[in-house]
Amino acid sequence: MRSLCSWTHEPQVETRFGYIGDGHDNGNRYRDNAVKTSKYTWYNFLFLNLFGQFRRVANVYFLIQGVIMYIGWYYPYIYQSPVHPWSTIGTLAFVLLVTLAKDVFEDIDRHRSDRRENRKLFTVVRNGKEIEIQSRRIQVGDWVKVRNREQFPADLVAVLTSDTNGQLFVETANIDGETNLKIRKPVKDFVDADIVPTSLPVGLSSFECDLPNKHIHHFNCTITCGSRKFAVSTENFLLRGSVLRNTSWIYGFVVYTGKDTKVMKNMTKAPSKMSRIEHTVNKIIFVIFMTQLILVVVSVAFSITINNNGREDTLAGGDGDSTIFPFWLAQCFSFFILYGQMVPISLYVTMELINVAQGYAINHDSKMMYMEDPGDPESIIKPECKDSKLCQEIGQIQYVFSDKTGTLTRNVMEFKKCAVDGQVFPNLESASKALRTKKTVNIDLFFRLLSTCHTVIPDYVNPEVTFESPELKYSNLLEYINFEAESPDEGALVQAAYKAGIAFVHRTPGKIVLLSEGQDEKVVYEILAINSFDSTRKRMSVIVRDSCGDIFLLCKGADSVIFEGSCDSTETKGLYDTILSSFANEGLRTLLVAVRRLTKDEFEAWNHKYKQAELEINNRDKALANVAAEIERDMNIIGATAIEDKLQEGVPETISKLADAGVKLWVLTGDKMETAINIGYSSEILTKEMRVFKLRCDSKDELESRLAELERLVDIANSSKLFSCVSGCFKFSRFEKQSEQQDVKSTLLTDVELALNFSPTIQPLDEQGNPEDDHHSFSSGSTENSEPCSKSIFAIVIDGNTFKFVSENAQLRRRFLRIGKLCKSVIACRVSPAQKAEFVGFFKHKVTLAIGDGANDVSMIQAARIGVGIKGKEGRQAVNASDFAIGQFRYLQRLLLLHGRWNYMRMAKVILLAFYKNAALVFTLFLYNFVALMSGVSLYDSFVYAGFNFFSGMPLLLLGIFDKDIGGETMLNIPAFYGVGREGTRLNFEKMLEWMSRGFVTALIVTSIPLLSYAKDLGVPTYCDQSNDISGIQAYGTFVYTALFFAVMYVIALETQTWNLVYLFFFVGSYAFYFLVLSTLSSLIDAYPEYFFVGIYVVGSPYFWVHSILIATMVFLLEFSWKFRRLMFFPTALDIAVEIDHGHTKYSNIQSLKEMLSQKRKRLY
């Protein structure tokens, strides 16, 4: 054991300081290791839950109404309530209890999970002994032992490992879903490798590290032991929740515990998202509330005019008692209570249940299930709805922001081409042949670099076979080794090098071993330093020493940074630039590889700076990047690689259908501009009919000039005031005089030709706005005799550096977004994760969807209104942050065009019908009170009145689950019907006003006919055998109420487009339930004497049945005639599609409808 001496240290404020091995002392200053994911405790549950529920406007509204009703009912000397308070309070309590019970069960599960996690046993070293303690007892500074396949209980720094090569392997699938193993190392030279674990030092050394933060890929720490310092970085850091693999045991000391661990820091609440429909409902409720106040004001005004203060009348009711409030104020309260059902109290519960059912339908859509391995049923990836309240939001998407790699493409990389010493090899076979024949000077070095400069781990399938085993041969290598790569690109390059003839077989922190084809002897390279890859550096390099003692810097990275660090001639750089452009034009991902030979003095001088940078805490990453940049220069480029990431199945078709649906797609990727453009064409994000503008500027002034010119051209091409392009012809309508038309046309034609080229075979523009050369063209044939374009379609491709100017300048941002919104598609290349989120943030007032598969897409997914994660090869971080998860991009068309649209249409119909029936209910009371001289009396029994939403609730609920206007095949054939939701045409103030008006008409019919029958003494039930006249009102009210119930059910039936046995059963059952409740209330002489025998008497009257059915039929015929007129004389394309689906039209199929749409201009919906 090395001697450890005493030390003194003054900790910095911005860092965490602690004693190693002395958890008790540190524990007094830092959090314990307990985790808490539960939302409530026993003492705050009721308060927090109710507080959350009363954030809903409707719940507050009904609470206030219930209090007002309670006062008016039990303290009538203040003012009188015409409705029993418990009819509203009881219903509200039921709604609150349902939500409360759901939250209780969810939180109980969280509490159980927390207890299991906090009570797990782990081994720690205390007082020279290994003891087992619960996870929650672990403290900062404790020595912890973790065995193979155990999780790390806290964030640790590794100091000892059982591996003889001084390394350990971890799996982070619990954190990011990545199952590939990652190499970690113990802190070098801090303790002897052969130390007895129980003799680990206690209190003799300290650590100083970053304050707790959520950056899981960054960790800076320094260990101090006397005058000696040891650098600790991410390669020594072990995250809580990750699992030790392929290593018997490790020891480490704790730096972060509990909520301070990086995983817990990342467990922030997902952004609270409220759907567009919920926003609309809240606004509608406000309008409904204002309507209710108007009814109250009108009623009070009439009541004051009539001055009816307690008139004794069968229809008026009232007892004439005075109140302490002025008459007008008492009437305000009475009418406010009377019209309280204007807002359906059960609407939110109905919406939540529908959301759950719609989420279930998405989760179990068999046509959205993706099987990765056709022979393995367990490899099925199912769709996942993680936030059911957004099920309708996916039917209203206006913009889709998509990642490219792993989202549009498969993220299965295949080595396609390479270039060595300027010579292009069209495939791996030709390169392998050149390697065997030594055709080029650096071909051997090229593939050795690919086998050496990486972070791939060789995972031996059989633990008895190692790289030193005699049975391990080049020919049978893949039988014993699986290559675990953090990135598919690296895996593809290592696999390519193996197939070419140079195989990577083993690595330790200090060496890497290669095996060449046809040679039994293995080649060992000593690893002297590694400069890791990150999105800022865009390169990785490794410094190695070969068996001859020569030192080399091996580097691979993006062309921009490799060119910058190259000492090659301009001709050589130009040659490789041309080669890379040709690769990129084929849609391939490219890298450059370069080498530099170092002298021993150069390396040692640089290594000294490297060691100093490692000891930095606050700016270590920047310091290491600066030091790496010093050595990554004067390099010689020896070759280039080209990897293909093929498109996923169905991507072009999906993008085409989304475009037809009016959804604009923006692709945000880190690839080169040329690669992004070619993927754009192959995926049909870009089409040959588009004019593609490329924005790649070096200054703000240059960008401003380009945007001004593009804005002018786009405005000209899209201005309907100046011209419209129909069938290839311009029609000017702004100017009346022929001479003026000719002047305008001649003036504009040059600009328009520049913008559009009037050709279906259009080339992209270069940076100056001119057509590019032939080798960039994606068209064929001449454009001289082409027909004019039928419409102007534009697309923009912008790079990350140019976007910086856009994001930093508000004026440029507004101009860019204005142009972008007029374009069909936008592609942003070379953008960082933060820039992706910034792009999405520009459209916060639109309904946006972001879709991605990797950790670098999380910020974009969370910034969008809807986040969709692809369950792919990049882990589960995108899925964990998303609202929906699917297996392939192609399933987006079913998710949006089918489920999204259906869900929007259903929910919109449910909301409108809910407000319609409640409006009709309240309007009957309003109209009746004109007859009752605005006395404020209720026509309906309190509990029957409150039960209206329950009697008619099941048909609405099932309509929101099952209803479909058109089938899936029809929708996918005419995606333009998606615009119904995208434009919000089915739920808006106009629709609300329409249905409120229909509710008033229904109420007018339902109220007037019984009144006329009563006036003519046609046998309307008015049971008056009891000692008070209220029973007469209740009998008459029950009659009117039933007629209204029948009428509303008829209207619901008329609006239902999908009937099945379940729906039919509950539809008929709603009638049975209503009459069951009616008869039950009529039988409760002790519990509810005021309604005793009323319902039974009314139902037993033949006039009741005749009038109820007659009234409901009249309402039905009125609604039917209005619908018939619209469908017969003013049908839309959507109406015709519905009729085709039901077989009720002359158009035999959807294709004939599409032909009709192409020949005639008809409103879609």
Side-chain angles (χ1 to χ4, degrees):
M1 176 179 175
R2 299 182 188 276
S3 61
L4 296 170
C5 44
S6 60
W7 49 270
T8 58
H9 181 76
E10 189 69 28
Q12 299 180 24
V13 176
E14 67 274 11
T15 59
R16 165 168 286 200
F17 175 84
Y19 302 99
I20 297 176
D22 195 353
H24 287 294
D25 185 66
N26 296 324
N28 296 328
R29 292 183 288 169
Y30 302 123
R31 294 180 185 269
D32 59 23
N33 199 41
V35 295
K36 178 180 177 292
T37 59
S38 57
K39 186 176 181 179
Y40 306 110
T41 61
W42 65 269
Y43 54 84
N44 68 12
F45 167 72
L46 192 61
F47 172 77
L48 290 180
N49 188 272
L50 291 179
F51 176 77
Q53 292 200 59
F54 280 108
R55 293 173 65 186
R56 286 179 167 175
V57 177
N59 288 342
V60 175
Y61 167 81
F62 285 112
L63 177 64
I64 294 173
Q65 188 184 65
V67 172
I68 294 174
M69 292 170 68
Y70 185 89
I71 296 172
W73 187 268
Y74 290 103
Y75 304 95
Y77 57 85
I78 301 177
Y79 57 86
Q80 295 181 9
S81 172
V83 181
H84 199 290
W86 291 107
S87 61
T88 294
I89 295 175
T91 307
L92 176 62
F94 173 77
V95 171
L96 296 177
L97 284 173
V98 169
T99 305
L100 187 141
K102 176 179 70 71
D103 292 343
V104 165
F105 286 113
E106 289 179 353
D107 211 54
I108 286 175
D109 288 337
R110 297 190 194 102
H111 276 282
R112 289 172 178 168
S113 176
D114 289 344
R115 281 196 295 271
R116 284 194 300 267
E117 185 70 21
N118 291 328
R119 293 177 181 178
K120 285 182 179 179
L121 296 178
F122 289 92
T123 302
V124 300
V125 178
R126 287 184 179 174
N127 300 321
K129 296 180 180 179
E130 289 187 354
I131 60 173
E132 286 191 340
I133 64 173
Q134 292 182 353
S135 172
R136 61 193 175 116
R137 305 293 185 191
I138 294 174
Q139 297 174 326
V140 172
D142 274 341
W143 288 112
V144 179
K145 178 181 181 180
V146 180
R147 298 174 179 86
N148 188 35
R149 294 189 177 275
E150 284 185 352
Q151 287 188 9
F152 299 111
D155 288 349
L156 311 176
V157 171
V159 296
L160 271 181
T161 175
S162 61
D163 190 86
T164 56
N165 296 312
Q167 59 188 7
L168 57 125
F169 302 92
V170 299
E171 181 183 82
T172 58
N174 291 339
I175 299 171
D176 57 18
E178 297 180 11
T179 56
N180 55 285
L181 301 182
K182 299 174 176 62
I183 295 178
R184 296 292 182 264
K185 305 172 186 177
V187 179
K188 189 176 181 181
D189 297 333
F190 176 46
V191 296
D192 285 329
D194 57 354
I195 189 175
V196 178
T198 54
S199 300
L200 287 167
V202 177
L204 298 177
S205 39
S206 68
F207 69 89
E208 187 177 354
C209 66
D210 304 322
L211 289 175
N213 59 74
K214 62 182 180 180
H215 305 299
I216 62 176
H217 299 298
H218 298 278
F219 178 70
N220 297 319
C221 178
T222 300
I223 297 175
T224 302
C225 177
S227 61
R228 304 179 63 204
K229 291 182 181 291
F230 302 90
V232 182
S233 65
T234 306
E235 68 177 8
N236 314 117
F237 186 65
L238 308 174
L239 287 168
R240 176 183 183 134
S242 55
V243 179
L244 184 66
R245 292 289 304 274
N246 293 357
T247 310
S248 298
W249 51 262
I250 67 100
Y251 285 84
F253 64 85
V254 178
V255 288
Y256 304 126
T257 52
K259 291 185 178 180
D260 287 341
T261 59
K262 290 182 179 288
V263 170
M264 294 301 294
K265 285 288 183 182
N266 276 277
M267 289 182 66
T268 55
K269 292 182 180 179
S272 179
K273 298 180 179 180
M274 179 178 286
S275 69
R276 196 178 180 185
I277 275 190
E278 285 184 289
H279 279 292
T280 304
V281 168
N282 285 341
K283 293 177 181 178
I284 288 175
I285 287 177
F286 178 77
V287 173
I288 295 295
F289 177 71
M290 297 305 296
T291 304
Q292 180 183 349
L293 290 182
I294 293 173
L295 295 181
V296 170
V297 171
V298 171
S299 299
V300 171
F302 271 91
S303 183
I304 293 174
T305 303
I306 297 172
N307 196 20
N308 177 34
N309 189 8
R311 177 173 180 262
E312 298 289 337
D313 185 88
T314 302
L315 292 179
D319 53 14
D321 290 343
S322 61
T323 64
I324 62 174
F325 277 2
F327 174 74
W328 67 269
L329 184 58
Q331 288 294 84
C332 283
F333 282 108
S334 296
F335 282 114
F336 182 81
I337 293 169
L338 187 65
Y339 303 149
Q341 287 290 326
M342 200 75 172
V343 177
I345 193 170
S346 63
L347 178 61
Y348 280 121
V349 172
T350 302
M351 290 175 65
E352 285 191 5
L353 293 175
I354 291 173
N355 287 336
V356 171
Q358 291 177 350
Y360 180 87
I362 292 173
N363 293 342
H364 294 80
D365 185 347
S366 60
K367 294 184 178 180
M368 289 175 63
M369 296 180 183
Y370 173 63
M371 184 177 291
E372 288 186 303
D373 183 0
D376 182 12
E378 295 184 358
S379 68
I380 294 178
I381 297 177
K382 297 181 179 180
E384 185 178 357
C385 171
K386 304 175 71 178
D387 193 346
S388 60
K389 71 175 180 290
L390 299 175
C391 284
Q392 302 87 43
E393 198 79 347
I394 55 177
Q396 301 178 272
I397 301 300
Q398 297 166 312
Y399 287 86
V400 170
F401 297 88
S402 175
D403 177 42
K404 183 186 78 66
T405 304
T407 303
L408 301 179
T409 60
R410 299 178 184 178
N411 206 16
V412 177
M413 308 300 178
E414 182 181 353
F415 189 96
K416 299 298 290 186
K417 295 183 177 184
C418 66
V420 182
D421 293 336
Q423 180 179 347
V424 176
F425 296 96
N427 50 54
L428 186 57
E429 291 73 17
S430 60
S432 178
K433 183 177 179 180
L435 176 62
R436 289 192 296 270
T437 59
K438 309 296 182 186
K439 187 175 181 180
T440 60
V441 176
N442 288 315
I443 188 73
D444 183 78
L445 180 58
F446 174 81
F447 282 108
R448 288 188 183 275
L449 185 150
L450 297 184
S451 297
T452 306
C453 185
H454 57 76
T455 59
V456 177
I457 300 171
D459 184 17
Y460 281 82
V461 179
N462 186 347
E464 297 180 359
V465 177
T466 68
F467 77 100
E468 296 176 334
S469 301
E471 59 264 37
L472 184 67
K473 305 291 185 184
Y474 178 88
S475 58
N476 62 5
L477 194 68
L478 295 185
E479 296 178 15
Y480 297 102
I481 297 179
N482 289 327
F483 293 111
E484 298 280 353
E486 293 188 24
S487 126
D489 299 72
E490 283 199 326
L493 294 176
V494 171
Q495 290 272 11
Y498 159 70
K499 293 177 182 179
I502 299 177
F504 159 64
V505 295
H506 182 65
R507 78 182 309 149
T508 68
K511 68 179 180 181
I512 195 164
V513 182
L514 307 182
L515 177 64
S516 299
E517 184 178 15
Q519 299 178 8
D520 294 331
E521 184 178 352
K522 300 177 178 65
V523 179
V524 179
Y525 290 94
E526 181 185 358
I527 299 177
L528 302 177
I530 296 177
N531 297 310
S532 301
F533 173 89
D534 64 44
S535 58
T536 303
R537 284 173 29 80
K538 299 180 182 179
R539 61 189 181 275
M540 173 192 178
S541 65
V542 58
I543 300 176
V544 300
R545 181 186 285 121
D546 64 14
S547 56
C548 299
D550 295 327
I551 301 175
F552 293 92
L553 170 76
L554 309 178
C555 184
K556 67 179 182 185
D559 55 320
S560 57
V561 293
I562 298 297
F563 281 143
E564 185 179 344
S566 170
C567 63
D568 290 315
S569 64
T570 304
E571 291 77 10
T572 300
K573 293 179 181 179
L575 173 61
Y576 277 106
D577 186 40
T578 302
I579 292 172
L580 291 177
S581 294
S582 66
F583 289 168
N585 284 336
E586 297 178 35
L588 303 177
R589 298 162 61 90
T590 60
L591 286 176
L592 281 177
V593 296
V595 176
R596 177 185 176 186
R597 185 188 293 270
L598 301 173
T599 65
K600 183 178 180 181
D601 292 339
E602 285 176 326
F603 169 72
E604 289 180 351
W606 176 85
N607 195 42
H608 176 72
K609 296 180 182 179
Y610 185 81
K611 296 297 182 185
Q612 290 296 116
E614 281 188 317
L615 296 176
E616 292 281 344
I617 295 180
N618 296 323
N619 296 303
R620 178 180 298 174
D621 292 337
K622 183 177 180 181
L624 288 173
N626 291 336
V627 172
E630 290 183 18
I631 200 71
E632 292 168 341
R633 58 183 177 82
D634 298 331
M635 298 182 294
N636 296 109
I637 301 173
I638 63 170
T641 64
I643 297 175
E644 181 181 32
D645 188 7
K646 293 184 178 180
L647 283 177
Q648 293 179 10
E649 179 184 349
V651 166
E653 293 82 359
T654 300
I655 291 174
S656 177
K657 289 187 183 298
L658 290 178
D660 291 342
V663 179
K664 293 189 177 182
L665 179 65
W666 288 36
V667 176
L668 314 177
T669 177
D671 283 334
K672 287 170 62 67
M673 181 174 285
E674 292 79 7
T675 303
I677 288 175
N678 280 276
I679 291 295
Y681 278 100
S682 61
S683 62
E684 296 188 13
I685 297 169
L686 305 177
T687 63
K688 293 180 179 179
E689 290 75 23
M690 291 183 183
R691 168 59 77 191
V692 181
F693 298 107
K694 292 169 64 175
L695 293 177
R696 186 158 50 189
C697 304
D698 296 323
S699 68
K700 185 182 75 172
D701 293 339
E702 181 185 358
L703 176 61
E704 189 171 8
S705 174
R706 291 293 316 283
L707 288 179
E709 180 65 17
L710 296 184
E711 187 174 35
R712 186 175 67 88
L713 297 180
V714 172
D715 280 345
I716 291 172
N718 286 282
S719 176
S720 59
K721 292 182 179 181
L722 297 181
F723 66 92
S724 60
C725 187
V726 180
S727 301
C729 299
F730 284 104
K731 297 180 180 179
F732 292 86
S733 58
R734 182 178 179 182
F735 305 100
E736 296 180 0
K737 296 181 179 180
Q738 181 68 23
S739 59
E740 290 180 329
Q741 292 180 9
Q742 294 297 329
D743 291 342
V744 171
K745 184 173 181 179
S746 60
T747 303
L748 294 179
L749 196 54
T750 303
D751 287 338
V752 174
E753 286 176 341
L754 180 60
L756 291 176
N757 200 29
F758 295 122
S759 171
T761 56
I762 297 178
Q763 303 171 1
L765 294 177
D766 62 14
E767 287 81 359
Q768 285 72 43
N770 301 314
E772 293 184 344
D773 296 331
D774 290 341
H775 70 276
H776 286 295
S777 176
F778 295 91
S779 61
S780 58
S782 172
T783 64
E784 293 178 358
N785 299 320
S786 301
E787 290 293 323
C789 170
S790 63
K791 60 181 178 179
S792 54
I793 305 177
F794 299 90
I796 289 178
V797 182
I798 184 173
D799 68 356
N801 185 58
T802 306
F803 178 71
K804 288 181 182 179
F805 304 128
V806 173
S807 62
E808 293 170 356
N809 186 287
Q811 183 178 357
L812 290 178
R813 182 164 60 250
R814 285 192 297 269
R815 179 168 284 176
F816 172 76
L817 290 177
R818 184 177 181 276
I819 298 171
K821 290 176 181 179
L822 294 173
C823 292
K824 192 75 171 178
S825 302
V826 175
I827 298 178
C829 54
R830 295 296 199 196
V831 289
S832 66
Q835 287 178 319
K836 289 183 178 182
E838 197 170 358
F839 261 108
V840 178
F842 290 159
F843 294 84
K844 60 183 178 181
H845 298 300
K846 301 289 185 179
V847 184
T848 56
L849 180 148
I851 179 169
D853 73 318
N856 61 334
D857 302 317
V858 169
S859 55
M860 171 181 73
I861 286 173
Q862 291 185 332
R865 185 78 67 90
I866 298 293
V868 178
I870 300 287
K871 297 180 180 179
K873 297 179 178 296
E874 292 288 337
R876 286 189 58 87
Q877 283 182 298
V879 172
N880 293 340
S882 65
D883 305 302
F884 297 86
I886 54 179
Q888 295 270 281
F889 182 85
R890 69 177 184 269
Y891 299 133
L892 198 63
Q893 63 175 303
R894 283 191 66 84
L895 183 67
L896 269 58
L897 304 187
L898 298 190
H899 289 286
R901 184 185 175 281
W902 284 335
N903 293 341
Y904 168 78
M905 296 286 286
R906 293 162 178 163
M907 188 62 82
K909 188 180 291 186
V910 167
I911 292 170
L912 291 174
L913 285 172
F915 283 112
Y916 157 77
K917 63 185 182 65
N918 277 60
L921 178 68
V922 171
F923 281 134
T924 57
L925 295 173
F926 176 70
L927 294 172
Y928 168 76
N929 263 275
F930 279 99
V931 179
L933 303 180
M934 286 299 169
S935 61
V937 69
S938 175
L939 177 62
Y940 308 130
D941 174 78
S942 297
F943 289 99
V944 175
Y945 179 43
F948 191 72
N949 291 304
F950 293 97
F951 300 142
S952 57
M954 281 306 295
L956 283 186
L957 176 64
L958 296 178
L959 184 146
I961 296 173
F962 296 118
D963 201 54
K964 295 179 183 178
D965 59 339
I966 54 176
E969 183 179 351
T970 301
M971 183 61 214
L972 294 178
N973 269 290
I974 310 180
F977 291 151
Y978 183 78
V980 172
R982 180 173 49 78
E983 297 175 8
T985 62
R986 288 299 185 268
L987 185 63
N988 49 44
F989 289 113
E990 290 78 10
K991 284 288 181 182
M992 196 67 230
L993 182 62
E994 174 191 327
W995 279 94
M996 291 285 287
S997 302
R998 291 161 75 170
F1000 180 80
V1001 172
T1002 299
L1004 189 62
I1005 295 173
V1006 171
T1007 306
S1008 59
I1009 292 179
L1011 284 173
L1012 291 173
S1013 299
Y1014 178 78
K1016 298 295 184 180
D1017 194 19
L1018 297 180
V1020 174
T1022 54
Y1023 179 64
C1024 301
D1025 292 343
Q1026 298 187 40
S1027 59
N1028 59 70
D1029 60 355
I1030 299 300
S1031 60
I1033 295 178
Q1034 288 177 330
Y1036 178 79
T1038 302
F1039 164 52
V1040 175
Y1041 185 94
T1042 306
L1044 176 64
F1045 172 66
F1046 280 15
V1048 166
M1049 291 292 286
Y1050 281 18
V1051 173
I1052 293 174
L1054 185 63
E1055 293 297 320
T1056 301
Q1057 293 176 303
T1058 300
W1059 289 80
N1060 53 39
L1061 290 178
V1062 175
Y1063 185 84
L1064 182 62
F1065 173 80
F1066 281 99
F1067 188 87
V1068 175
S1070 295
Y1071 287 93
F1073 177 63
Y1074 168 67
F1075 287 112
L1076 177 64
V1077 171
L1078 210 62
S1079 61
T1080 302
L1081 286 176
S1082 299
S1083 304
L1084 301 175
I1085 188 171
D1086 295 324
Y1088 202 46
E1090 58 266 33
Y1091 199 75
F1092 176 66
F1093 203 65
V1094 170
I1096 297 174
Y1097 167 78
V1098 172
V1099 172
S1101 169
Y1103 294 97
F1104 160 80
W1105 292 102
V1106 172
H1107 279 79
S1108 296
I1109 295 175
L1110 174 64
I1111 292 169
T1113 303
M1114 290 181 64
V1115 173
F1116 175 82
L1117 290 175
L1118 182 65
E1119 291 285 337
F1120 180 80
S1121 62
W1122 177 87
K1123 193 170 185 177
F1124 179 82
R1125 173 182 173 276
R1126 183 179 63 81
L1127 292 177
M1128 288 299 296
F1129 300 105
F1130 309 101
T1132 65
L1134 178 57
D1135 294 329
I1136 296 173
V1138 173
E1139 294 300 308
I1140 290 175
D1141 268 7
H1142 291 81
H1144 300 154
T1145 181
K1146 64 181 180 179
Y1147 297 101
S1148 59
N1149 53 46
I1150 292 298
Q1151 188 59 40
S1152 62
L1153 173 62
K1154 293 175 72 174
E1155 292 175 0
M1156 182 271 293
L1157 289 175
S1158 65
Q1159 297 170 5
K1160 297 166 62 179
R1161 297 185 63 86
K1162 180 174 286 292
R1163 192 162 59 93
L1164 277 172
Y1165 36 79

